[in-house]
Amino acid sequence: MTLNGVHVPLITPFDEAGAVDLGVLEELAHQVLTAGAAGLVALGTTAEVTTLSAAERSQVVEVLTGVCGRRGAALLVGANTAEELQALAARRSVVAALCLVPPFVRPGEDGVVAYFAALAAASPVPLVVYHVPHRTGQDLSTRAVRRLAAIDAVIGIKYAPGAIDGDAVDLLTDPPQGFTVLAGTDELLAPMLALGAHGAILASAHVATAQFLALAAAFHAGQADQARRLGNQLRRLAAALFAEPNPAVIKGVLHAQGRIPNPRVRLPLLPAAATSIDAAVHHLDATTAGRYARA
């Protein structure tokens, strides 16, 4: 299985009372898929998943399973325990689970490989490793990623390094056969695609879906000059969208567009400052030629 294309890790919209707004979630899912996204991610970091109850997580997956089933789109679901993985068995739209490298404990590369081998043995669906060392505290060498790729059920990686170093170049230019590398650092999307990333999982693609798709298409078509210009614009947009803890600014922009009823986030996150939202809207308008003006 290859997970090419741009996948959007959806936010969790909340209503005025603070409950999950499932209707708005469904609308957002349809919007990004209509814009051309290859698939969705449920219960990722962008979804504020640690603040959701078990019942809310189940409701979110139910809604997005339905949307992806009707649209023929891929759905990845964040899951990090055997119990969470086994709950995906009956979800036909779920093509893989997105599993985070164990955070905080820093188990070392041998521990990470053993952990994913155990998850793979318990999982009814394939696994995509979520490697984001600035959040987990655990870095992985290319050698470790190749060991993970050798586990039968591990089909890819959301690769979100803080910088493109020698390990990143090695992995992106020479990935394991049949193993999908998805760019996961929004600001580094263009160079990661240029080096060979198969696609991406991008929170920024909530608000400029078509442009991110165009960037990926330009690289895959060998249109380097066009890709460089668009990539720089999208880099600036991504930086503005991540100027405060994710997804506060993204929610602020979606609210400014009239696509969600409010920009509410749950503690420990706080709403983004108006100046951050305005800056992101400015970059968005510059990238999309004003297509998404404020409502």
Side-chain angles (χ1 to χ4, degrees):
M1 179 187 299
T2 302
L3 296 170
N4 294 326
V6 174
H7 304 258
V8 181
L10 286 180
I11 65 154
T12 302
F14 302 118
D15 62 23
E16 295 298 338
V20 176
D21 195 326
L22 297 173
V24 172
L25 177 67
E26 184 172 2
E27 290 174 9
L28 281 173
H30 280 295
Q31 287 169 9
V32 298
L33 290 175
T34 296
L40 306 175
V41 179
L43 307 183
T45 306
T46 304
E48 301 172 74
V49 64
T50 59
T51 73
L52 302 180
S53 68
E56 289 172 330
R57 293 195 297 271
S58 179
Q59 290 169 341
V60 166
V61 174
E62 181 71 24
V63 167
L64 297 184
T65 297
V67 171
C68 288
R70 291 191 295 275
R71 301 292 297 263
L75 177 64
L76 286 75
V77 178
N80 297 292
T81 67
E83 181 180 22
E84 290 172 348
L85 289 165
Q86 289 160 6
L88 302 178
R91 308 283 191 179
R92 291 189 177 183
S93 301
V94 177
V95 300
L98 183 64
C99 304
L100 185 65
V101 170
F104 186 71
V105 293
R106 300 176 69 182
E109 292 185 344
D110 288 345
V112 171
V113 173
Y115 171 79
F116 274 94
L119 286 183
S123 180
V125 298
L127 308 184
V128 173
V129 177
Y130 183 10
H131 178 42
V132 54
H134 74 277
R135 288 184 182 271
T136 64
Q138 175 66 63
D139 207 351
L140 294 176
S141 65
T142 303
R143 179 175 176 274
V145 175
R146 295 187 189 284
R147 291 172 63 194
L148 290 169
I151 300 170
D152 285 343
V154 177
I155 62 169
I157 187 169
K158 178 183 177 182
Y159 193 59
I164 295 179
D165 58 10
D167 271 327
V169 173
D170 185 13
L171 178 64
L172 289 162
T173 57
D174 183 26
Q177 185 173 3
F179 185 74
T180 300
V181 181
L182 298 171
T185 305
D186 295 40
E187 289 184 63
L188 297 179
L189 175 62
M192 292 179 79
L193 287 170
L195 287 167
H198 300 97
I201 295 177
L202 297 173
S204 299
H206 277 87
V207 299
T209 313
Q211 286 69 32
F212 281 105
L213 291 169
L215 177 63
F219 272 115
H220 291 152
Q223 299 168 340
D225 289 343
Q226 177 183 342
R228 279 195 292 267
R229 289 192 296 271
L230 181 56
N232 194 37
Q233 288 181 315
L234 291 173
R235 177 192 61 79
R236 293 171 179 167
L237 172 60
L241 291 170
F242 280 80
E244 297 192 33
N246 185 47
V249 180
I250 289 173
K251 282 190 164 184
V253 173
L254 290 172
H255 176 56
Q257 293 175 332
R259 295 171 63 194
I260 60 175
N262 65 71
R264 183 188 294 270
V265 291
R266 286 182 176 174
L267 289 171
L269 296 181
L270 295 173
T275 52
S276 296
I277 297 168
D278 288 343
V281 169
H282 169 76
H283 286 292
L284 177 61
D285 287 345
T287 301
T288 61
R291 180 182 171 193
Y292 294 112
R294 284 178 180 268

